[in-house]
């Protein structure tokens, strides 16, 4: 190995492209590959998000209607039938809490939970969640249980 046959490792050196805007003699002077006039030829140009070349953008073409309440509370609904399933599978004995529902994958830890009246509940359960529908509350109390709102 001599000095004359040393060369950098494969892929270590990247050949840069031709420098633009460095005089007419370079072949890329003048407009510096930007073309003539227009927004894209100017310095400081940046395309706005959703810009469609001056055509009315989709965001403004689509009709808008309705109202979104920013204070809306979204509840995760769980039917009485699901609670009865937990009892039948031996997961729950007497008490159903938010933690019980999270452990069994029926709700996430930050969910607001509402018990709904679909299905049949035979076991007398003490259920404590955020909300109950009127029919669910009646069915729980009819079965000898207790409905506690958090």
């Amino acid at each position: 190995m001599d000095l004359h046959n040393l060369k950098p490792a494969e892929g270590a050196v990247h050949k840069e492209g031709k420098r633009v805007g460095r005089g007419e003699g370079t072949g890329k002077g003048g407009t510096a590959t930007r073309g003539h006039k227009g927004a894209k030829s100017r310095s400081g140009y940046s395309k706005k998000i959703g810009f469609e070349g001056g055509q009315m953008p989709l965001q403004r073409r689509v009709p808008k209607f309705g109202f979104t309440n920013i204070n809306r509370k979204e509840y995760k609904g769980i039917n009485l039938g699901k609670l009865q399933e937990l009892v039948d599978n031996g997961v729950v004995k007497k008490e159903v809490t938010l933690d019980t529902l999270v452990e069994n994958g029926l709700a996430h830890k930050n969910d607001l939970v509402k018990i709904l009246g679909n299905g049949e509940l035979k076991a007398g359960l003490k259920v404590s969640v955020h909300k109950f529908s009127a029919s669910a509350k009646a069915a729980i109390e009819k079965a000898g249980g207790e409905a506690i709102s958090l």
Side-chain angles (χ1 to χ4, degrees), residues 98-112:
L98 199 56
D99 296 332
T100 314
L101 298 172
V102 171
E103 284 167 17
N104 291 292
L106 294 176
H108 293 286
K109 64 177 183 167
N110 296 325
D111 282 346
L112 296 173

Side-chain angles (χ1 to χ4, degrees), residues 14-32:
H14 305 286
K15 188 173 182 205
E16 298 299 327
K18 194 173 223 183
R19 298 202 321 155
V20 298
R22 291 295 178 270
E24 284 302 307
T26 63
K28 298 231 171 163
T31 59

Side-chain angles (χ1 to χ4, degrees), residues 63-69:
K64 292 153 189 67
F65 54 88
F67 168 76
T68 304
N69 183 0

Side-chain angles (χ1 to χ4, degrees), residues 18-90:
K18 194 173 223 183
R19 298 202 321 155
V20 298
R22 291 295 178 270
E24 284 302 307
T26 63
K28 298 231 171 163
T31 59
T33 73
R34 288 168 173 256
H36 295 279
K37 299 188 182 174
K40 286 187 189 173
S41 72
R42 319 270 185 222
S43 68
Y45 165 76
S46 66
K47 191 172 77 171
K48 306 286 183 284
I49 293 172
F51 183 68
E52 297 184 19
Q55 173 176 302
M56 188 61 67
L58 183 68
Q59 176 63 19
R60 290 182 61 192
R61 287 197 307 261
V62 174
K64 292 153 189 67
F65 54 88
F67 168 76
T68 304
N69 183 0
I70 59 168
N71 297 316
R72 176 177 167 78
K73 285 189 175 147
E74 193 72 48
Y75 287 89
K76 172 83 171 140
I78 296 174
N79 285 309
L80 290 175
K82 281 285 181 195
L83 297 183
Q84 186 60 46
E85 271 182 42
L86 291 179
V87 173
D88 294 342
N89 296 337

Side-chain angles (χ1 to χ4, degrees), residues 97-143:
T97 62
L98 199 56
D99 296 332
T100 314
L101 298 172
V102 171
E103 284 167 17
N104 291 292
L106 294 176
H108 293 286
K109 64 177 183 167
N110 296 325
D111 282 346
L112 296 173
V113 175
K114 183 172 183 175
I115 302 295
L116 306 174
N118 198 358
E120 192 179 347
L121 184 68
K122 300 176 197 116
L125 293 174
K126 180 180 176 184
V127 185
S128 52
V129 293
H130 298 100
K131 262 191 168 182
F132 297 88
S133 69
S135 60
K137 193 165 191 166
I140 290 169
E141 287 166 357
K142 183 182 170 195

